[in-house]
Amino acid sequence: MELVPSQLITGVEDSHIKLDKEAVVLVLGGAQGITSELMIHFSKDYPCTYILVGRSADPRNASPGPLDALQHKDEIRNYLVKQGDIKKPAEIERETARIFKNNQIMRTITQMEKGGSTVVYESLDLCDEAGLSSFINNVYDKYNRIDGVVHGAGLLEDKLFHSKTSESFGRVFDTKVIPLRTLAEHLTPDTQFVIFFSSIASVYGNRGQTDYAAANSVLDKYAWALKEKINGKVMSINWGPWKGAGMVSPTLEKEYERRGIALIPLQDGREIFLNELKYGKESQVLIMAGNNW
Ligand SMILES: NC(=O)c1ccc[n+]([C@@H]2O[C@H](COP(=O)([O-])OP(=O)(O)OC[C@H]3O[C@@H](n4cnc5c(N)ncnc54)[C@H](OP(=O)(O)O)[C@@H]3O)[C@@H](O)[C@H]2O)c1
């Protein structure tokens, strides 16, 4: 693949996106991580209905608890250890992750609603193709429109290839790839935009990430194919690693720093994403911090 530097021209022409208050935007994996940060920012300019999809349970169905305000894993873990009800380290980790996700989802919903949007959260595993298909049908039945889609769902289970199980490979690959066919089958041509969150791993590869790189390269190719069906914008964004939110753990962050790979700061990334959606014209863009290529 040949990389070509390209300057995004902003503000000269009108944004390609027009979303009125009745518009509906579907965001796969949109309640947590970088997708949530970017969509909170985006929704301030485009308040409408956002349907966020993830496997976690809807936090609005849970009763309020003393850990609801905690947004950092360390705080949650420390609380659970002090409380002493759970003893086994693996169980403490599991519960920490669950509460962290729950609180992130609640924060996303609250922030978007503060900006004037209506937020629907749907608990659904995207590897369940039939479930996703019937969910999208329900969305069309209820709203009669889907104006835009952002597919930001993904997960990492890094391991060297010889140590990977096919189940683990499947989870990483399917989460990204299974929704593609369903979207292609259901979305109507008047959809204004479909954005895939891919990774630089599909361009450069990455140690321990054959599954993840393969899945992302399918997203990249599919963006070109889906463009034939959708009149609006279809774009795969090969993100570099981010700082401050998402799947890059502190350990991975240190590893990137050691290798001289700069991380995308949240504030800059939010603005870049918004502009790319408003004015970008490419089917595939690679966005990373620094000047490493
Ligand atoms: N963060 C980065 O530095 C970076 C760099 C390059 C590319 N990206 C891409 O950007 C996207 C967002 O990354 P992130 O860092 O924000 O990740 P994240 O914080 O781990 O969030 C991933 C989201 O995907 C959802 N998800 C995972 N598996 C799912 C499944 N089977 N069904 C439904 N939802 C599922 C998760 O919700 P549940 O857990 O509730 O299911 C969560 O909302 C990913 O596609 C990633 O590959 C990220």
Side-chain angles (χ1 to χ4, degrees):
M1 179 187 296
E2 194 196 348
L3 294 177
V4 183
S6 158
Q7 174 109 34
L8 184 66
I9 313 286
T10 60
V12 176
E13 50 185 281
D14 280 351
S15 162
H16 307 154
I17 292 175
K18 308 260 178 283
L19 298 174
D20 58 24
K21 196 79 183 71
E22 269 63 56
V24 175
V25 178
L26 178 62
V27 195
L28 308 180
Q32 299 168 62
I34 62 164
T35 318
S36 111
E37 294 289 346
L38 300 182
M39 294 315 292
I40 290 170
H41 188 62
F42 178 85
S43 68
K44 286 181 190 152
D45 276 16
Y46 298 101
C48 59
T49 295
Y50 289 86
I51 303 176
L52 314 178
V53 180
R55 290 163 304 176
S56 301
D58 187 338
R60 290 178 291 195
N61 296 335
S63 6
L67 284 81
D68 290 354
L70 306 184
Q71 292 294 336
H72 298 284
K73 277 191 179 162
D74 287 347
E75 298 172 314
I76 299 167
R77 193 180 295 108
N78 288 345
Y79 188 100
L80 293 175
V81 170
K82 240 190 220 155
Q83 195 187 38
D85 289 349
I86 312 173
K87 301 274 186 246
K88 290 189 181 152
E91 282 175 24
I92 292 176
E93 255 347 277
R94 254 197 307 279
E95 186 60 0
T96 300
R98 188 194 65 75
I99 295 168
F100 176 69
K101 280 171 177 280
N102 179 81
N103 294 358
Q104 272 199 87
I105 299 168
M106 203 55 228
R107 175 183 161 269
T108 307
I109 295 172
T110 311
Q111 298 263 324
M112 282 184 153
E113 287 181 343
K114 245 192 219 163
S117 291
T118 301
V119 183
V120 176
Y121 178 80
E122 178 72 13
S123 173
L124 177 71
D125 188 337
L126 294 167
C127 299
D128 171 7
E129 195 167 14
L132 178 61
S133 182
S134 100
F135 174 65
I136 294 181
N137 279 335
N138 291 343
V139 173
Y140 273 116
D141 285 347
K142 178 160 182 197
Y143 300 97
N144 205 23
R145 61 197 284 177
I146 293 179
D147 297 80
V149 178
V150 176
H151 175 12
L155 71 160
L156 293 178
E157 296 192 17
D158 296 2
K159 266 196 177 72
L160 292 180
F161 187 66
H162 58 74
S163 309
K164 273 191 201 295
T165 62
S166 50
E167 289 76 22
S168 169
F169 193 103
R171 276 192 297 275
V172 174
F173 189 82
D174 291 353
T175 300
K176 292 223 164 209
V177 173
I178 283 193
L180 301 180
R181 183 166 54 190
T182 316
L183 291 174
E185 277 170 8
H186 289 76
L187 292 179
T188 51
D190 58 349
T191 311
Q192 291 186 46
F193 60 91
V194 180
I195 310 294
F196 298 142
F197 280 14
S198 176
S199 159
I200 54 165
S202 71
V203 180
Y204 296 121
N206 211 1
R207 193 177 155 82
Q209 294 192 340
T210 40
D211 42 10
Y212 183 70
N216 283 306
S217 49
V218 178
L219 291 189
D220 300 344
K221 292 279 180 309
Y222 222 88
W224 295 91
L226 195 59
K227 223 179 162 74
E228 302 296 311
K229 193 183 167 205
I230 304 291
N231 298 332
K233 183 185 302 236
V234 185
M235 183 188 283
S236 184
I237 305 181
N238 298 95
W239 291 116
W242 285 70
K243 191 177 177 65
M247 53 173 59
V248 175
S249 63
T251 321
L252 206 51
E253 197 174 311
K254 278 205 189 86
E255 174 60 14
Y256 281 127
E257 274 164 17
R258 192 187 63 77
R259 288 162 58 192
I261 298 173
L263 300 159
I264 304 171
L266 260 184
Q267 191 49 45
D268 296 352
R270 283 190 190 111
E271 230 32 64
I272 289 167
F273 174 70
L274 186 61
N275 281 330
E276 203 54 69
L277 225 79
K278 282 182 171 174
Y279 308 109
K281 291 186 174 152
E282 309 294 341
S283 294
Q284 187 175 0
V285 285
L286 184 146
I287 301 176
M288 61 191 294
N291 194 15
N292 297 305
W293 52 270

